[in-house]
């Protein structure tokens, strides 16, 4: 599933984040520029699933931090204030991220999948209610009528039943004269 398409519009961010002890300390020492770096990095984590490999040079390029002082501040934001979770994956690659972002993405994925299942079920139910469910032309009650009596009974049927019957006839390659007879009647 492509997280960038699904989660690029919004995500949950804790309220009053600047009042948490770690963020408040970081802002007092580094200024609001550091808070902006923190938020920009969390945004990028959200797009990749909550964790990414800890390659400082790539992270600084992604966040467009190329000047020496900004890179130094970014390094302090990522490592000194214990704002991010670090772990080593099975391949030995050091990862950085936030568990709350990963949990949020997992919950959104589950909600999206559950919604898709419900939508498919609803569409199936609507489809079942809107068309007659006849598998064989010979089972259709109109097929049992003789052609001369068919016209008399045909106009008593709903338009949906008539159209469904014509589709069924065409699928089963019924006699062309019978199909044309029904189409001509519907035109009038």
């Amino acid at each position: 599933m492509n997280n960038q398409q699904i989660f690029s519009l919004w995500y949950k961010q804790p309220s009053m984040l600047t009042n948490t002890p770690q963020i408040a300390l970081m802002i007092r020492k580094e200024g609001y520029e550091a808070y902006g770096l923190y938020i920009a990095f969390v945004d990028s984590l959200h797009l990749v699933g909550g964790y990414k490999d800890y390659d400082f040079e790539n992270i600084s390029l992604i966040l467009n931090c190329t000047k020496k002082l900004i890179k130094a501040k970014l390094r302090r934001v990522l490592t000194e204030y214990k704002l991010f979770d670090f772990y080593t994956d099975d391949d030995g690659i050091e990862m950085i991220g936030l568990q709350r972002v990963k949990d949020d993405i997992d919950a959104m994925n589950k909600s999206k999948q559950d919604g898709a299942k419900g939508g498919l079920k609803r569409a199936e139910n609507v489809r079942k209610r809107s068309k007659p469910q006849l598998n064989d032309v010979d089972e259709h009650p109109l097929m049992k009528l003789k052609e001369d009596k068919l016209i008399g009974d045909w106009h008593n049927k709903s338009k949906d039943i008539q159209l469904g019957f014509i589709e069924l006839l065409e699928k089963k390659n019924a006699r062309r004269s019978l199909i044309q007879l029904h189409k001509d009647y519907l035109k009038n």
Side-chain angles (χ1 to χ4, degrees), residues 44-132:
S44 72
L45 287 176
H46 191 77
L47 293 176
V48 297
Y51 285 91
K52 66 187 311 173
D53 59 324
Y54 182 66
D55 181 351
F56 181 75
E57 291 303 317
N58 284 345
I59 292 171
S60 62
L61 284 174
I62 289 169
L63 298 179
N64 199 20
C65 298
T66 54
K67 294 184 179 174
K68 212 175 207 179
L69 291 175
I70 301 292
K71 280 177 87 168
K73 189 175 282 196
L74 176 63
R75 186 180 300 274
R76 288 191 302 272
V77 167
L78 295 178
T79 58
E80 288 183 18
Y81 296 99
K82 296 184 171 91
L83 299 171
F84 299 99
D85 304 321
F86 287 88
Y87 78 93
T88 304
D89 71 357
D90 297 336
D91 297 330
I93 299 172
E94 187 176 15
M95 305 293 281
I96 183 172
L98 287 171
Q99 188 61 41
R100 69 174 172 82
V101 173
K102 183 169 179 10
D103 294 343
D104 185 35
I105 289 171
D106 292 343
M108 290 170 78
N109 276 332
K110 184 174 179 349
S111 176
K112 183 178 187 307
Q113 290 170 351
D114 291 347
K117 286 179 191 174
L120 290 173
K121 183 68 176 164
R122 182 179 185 282
E124 180 184 327
N125 291 339
V126 167
R127 211 175 312 114
K128 283 180 181 177
R129 279 183 266 143
S130 67
K131 282 191 173 182

Side-chain angles (χ1 to χ4, degrees), residues 135-149:
N135 297 327
D136 194 5
V137 174
D138 296 330
E139 293 175 13
H140 201 286
L142 292 176
M143 196 62 183
K144 294 177 182 170
L145 299 172
K146 300 283 184 208
E147 283 187 27
D148 55 339
K149 187 170 183 312

Side-chain angles (χ1 to χ4, degrees), residues 145-152 175 177-178 181:
L145 299 172
K146 300 283 184 208
E147 283 187 27
D148 55 339
K149 187 170 183 312
L150 183 62
I151 296 296
R175 292 174 299 173
S177 61
L178 188 59
L181 179 72

Side-chain angles (χ1 to χ4, degrees), residues 4 14 19 23 27-29 41 48 78 88 99 130 144 167 177 182:
Q4 191 167 5
N19 290 340
I23 298 282
I27 291 172
R28 289 203 198 312
K29 285 186 173 181
F41 185 62
V48 297
L78 295 178
T88 304
Q99 188 61 41
S130 67
K144 294 177 182 170
E167 287 176 13
S177 61
H182 297 320

